[in-house]
Amino acid sequence: MSFLLTHLAIGVVAGVVVCLGLLALDVASLRTLLLGSDYWLIGFILLFGSVCGTFGGVAMAVAVMNLGDWSDHPDRDY
């Protein structure tokens, strides 16, 4: 369980960094659009939630796919 939570946290942090980068650079006027809206908080929650959820899921999936089995690494302690 800690293996998955660790990789989930790594993915979420990467998602936060990407979102902050998108907003800081105002890519495709995203920051301008969000801050000009009456529902800017919902927009930020949806942006961060979807990107962090996707990055976290991908990070966990990549970690699980890279585990392999005993025949791949006979000297590794599983």
Side-chain angles (χ1 to χ4, degrees), residues 49-65:
S50 61
V51 172
C52 291
T54 301
F55 276 52
V58 168
M60 287 193 307
V62 168
V64 168
M65 296 292 180

Side-chain angles (χ1 to χ4, degrees), residues 23 26-41 43-44:
L23 293 173
D26 201 17
V27 175
S29 299
L30 184 62
R31 181 184 64 216
T32 306
L33 179 68
L34 283 173
L35 293 178
S37 171
D38 292 336
Y39 302 103
W40 59 270
L41 182 60
F44 279 110

Side-chain angles (χ1 to χ4, degrees), residues 63-78:
V64 168
M65 296 292 180
N66 282 331
L67 276 176
D69 64 353
W70 185 80
S71 63
D72 293 338
H73 302 283
D75 58 335
R76 185 187 289 177
D77 183 25
Y78 290 97

